[in-house]
Amino acid sequence: MRRRVLHTLAAFSLLATASPGASQDSNILLPSPVIEGRFRSDPFEVVWSKPSRGIPGERTHQVVFAYEDGTQIKAKWAPAPRGGSAFNNEPRLEVAAYEVQKLFLDESEYVVPPTVARCVPIDEYPQLDEADARIRPTFNGWDVVVVVLQYWLWDVDGGAEARELIDWDRFDQDPEYARHAANFNLLTYLIRHRDSNQGNFLRSKDPGHPRLFSIDNGIAFESMGESDRGNYWERIRVPGLPRTSIERLRSLGQEDLRRALGVVAEFQEHESAGIVSVQPTANLSPEEGIRRQGRVLQLGLTDFEIRRLYDRIQRLLRDVDRGRLEVF
């Protein structure tokens, strides 16, 4: 990566080259595993960026990555705080929210867009705007910044206030819409989403594939406190849930959750390659969410968080079995 930011018409034209073509759908234009691989380990150059809300000095940015084969992908760039954890800046929870949905949803139903943690070396860290403060490593002794990269969705609107996000008349009349809306609520319930800021939820504008998305999941699971915008989607609000999603959840045991969520990102330091992303190995410390041991860094849910997630699944299944929640 080179330290440069382009704010020219040529740079904005790059976005057009990533518009729908031979795409997965109108919201996520590439297969999610491809995006994950690109974000996790492929060399890239930041060729365009702006603060997420257009305010210089913001923590998160919109960026466009250019890869060696000419592929370009737009993403949200969110650096971790010092120590890797702070209120509403929890990289491990953002990645865990993305991974949870894989346990009960098909890729075409994902509620959280592809979200990956990456270690960016200090000497390769791009200057994303002129107001950038001095870049500091996330952890002492490792000259890298942990960054969460999340795919930037296409063809979506800005959502609505939490209570108005779902069109209830359409829910009753359109089975495809009902399925996506119900899976959205199922995900926010499972991860215990507690930040109902309007900008955290987006809606597809594609009438044939009306998905709902949750793009900011940093106040979730068992994180302390909640947003001053409320926690509306922490509870099940829809009158019914898709049968396929419920049956997939029914098949999960605590060990399945531990294998999937105990380690959601792992990095190892190699003398020749530096700090690189690797396939998760055995959990170094199940009671901690951030684990550093020698040349290894792991991010994941704690055993307590996983037990609480399992408990939420079991409560949900009891409500279904007792007829308190319909399935369709």
Side-chain angles (χ1 to χ4, degrees), residues 53-127:
R53 294 173 297 172
I55 304 172
E58 282 187 78
R59 179 179 67 86
T60 66
H61 285 72
Q62 304 175 42
V63 300
V64 172
F65 297 134
Y67 296 92
E68 293 175 350
D69 65 355
T71 300
Q72 297 161 357
I73 302 178
K74 190 175 183 182
K76 179 172 75 173
W77 175 289
R82 286 278 291 172
S85 176
F87 179 71
N88 203 20
N89 188 358
E90 294 277 5
R92 67 185 185 89
L93 301 186
E94 298 282 3
V95 180
Y98 176 63
E99 294 297 327
V100 164
Q101 68 187 351
K102 296 180 180 180
L103 299 174
F104 67 97
L105 295 178
D106 291 337
E107 184 179 347
S108 62
E109 301 171 316
Y110 282 179
V111 172
V112 181
T115 305
V116 168
R118 179 164 179 154
C119 284
V120 179
I122 289 289
D123 61 1
E124 296 181 11
Y125 197 94
Q127 182 180 348

Side-chain angles (χ1 to χ4, degrees), residues 25-29 151 153-156 204 209 211 213:
D25 59 47
S26 60
N27 306 127
I28 300 176
L29 310 183
Y151 186 83
L153 295 165
W154 292 81
D155 198 26
V156 291
S204 172
H209 204 172
R211 301 166 72 174
F213 297 96

Side-chain angles (χ1 to χ4, degrees), residues 7-261:
H7 293 289
T8 66
L9 291 176
F12 283 100
S13 72
L14 294 174
L15 304 183
T17 66
S19 57
S23 61
Q24 180 191 355
D25 59 47
S26 60
N27 306 127
I28 300 176
L29 310 183
L30 294 168
S32 294
V34 171
I35 298 170
E36 291 177 38
R38 293 285 196 179
F39 283 178
R40 190 173 286 120
S41 57
D42 282 8
F44 63 80
E45 180 181 2
V46 175
V47 294
W48 177 87
S49 75
K50 64 177 286 188
S52 292
R53 294 173 297 172
I55 304 172
E58 282 187 78
R59 179 179 67 86
T60 66
H61 285 72
Q62 304 175 42
V63 300
V64 172
F65 297 134
Y67 296 92
E68 293 175 350
D69 65 355
T71 300
Q72 297 161 357
I73 302 178
K74 190 175 183 182
K76 179 172 75 173
W77 175 289
R82 286 278 291 172
S85 176
F87 179 71
N88 203 20
N89 188 358
E90 294 277 5
R92 67 185 185 89
L93 301 186
E94 298 282 3
V95 180
Y98 176 63
E99 294 297 327
V100 164
Q101 68 187 351
K102 296 180 180 180
L103 299 174
F104 67 97
L105 295 178
D106 291 337
E107 184 179 347
S108 62
E109 301 171 316
Y110 282 179
V111 172
V112 181
T115 305
V116 168
R118 179 164 179 154
C119 284
V120 179
I122 289 289
D123 61 1
E124 296 181 11
Y125 197 94
Q127 182 180 348
L128 299 178
D129 69 54
E130 290 76 6
D132 271 352
R134 182 173 65 89
I135 304 302
R136 302 179 64 193
T138 304
F139 301 102
N140 292 332
W142 274 24
D143 288 334
V144 297
V145 179
V146 175
V147 176
V148 172
L149 304 177
Q150 183 179 84
Y151 186 83
W152 198 273
L153 295 165
W154 292 81
D155 198 26
V156 291
D157 68 21
E161 294 294 335
R163 297 172 183 272
E164 301 173 359
L165 186 68
I166 290 180
D167 181 337
W168 296 111
D169 290 335
R170 188 175 181 186
F171 189 99
D172 292 336
Q173 299 167 13
D174 182 344
E176 180 77 357
Y177 179 83
R179 182 171 61 89
H180 285 297
N183 279 327
F184 163 83
N185 193 184
L186 182 52
L187 187 280
T188 60
Y189 163 79
L190 291 175
I191 69 172
R192 199 169 170 239
H193 196 290
R194 287 182 289 158
D195 185 1
S196 294
N197 183 16
Q198 177 175 334
N200 293 345
F201 310 119
L202 301 176
R203 299 178 295 196
S204 172
K205 294 190 288 187
D206 182 349
H209 204 172
R211 301 166 72 174
L212 281 77
F213 297 96
S214 180
I215 62 168
D216 189 331
N217 304 291
I219 306 178
F221 298 99
E222 306 309 313
S223 57
M224 299 296 293
E226 66 182 45
S227 166
D228 58 4
R229 302 300 178 90
N231 59 341
Y232 186 79
W233 289 110
E234 179 183 359
R235 299 181 180 181
I236 295 292
R237 303 290 182 178
V238 294
L241 297 167
R243 188 181 303 277
T244 53
S245 299
I246 291 299
E247 293 310 310
R248 290 185 187 183
L249 290 174
R250 198 183 295 279
S251 70
L252 296 174
Q254 287 195 58
E255 284 306 314
D256 298 309
L257 300 181
R258 290 189 180 99
R259 283 193 294 270
L261 305 172

Side-chain angles (χ1 to χ4, degrees), residues 92 262 285-291 298-303 305:
R92 67 185 185 89
S285 180
E287 300 307 317
E288 298 178 293
I290 300 173
R291 309 148 203 145
Q298 291 181 343
L299 306 178
L301 294 188
T302 67
D303 206 49
E305 290 166 337

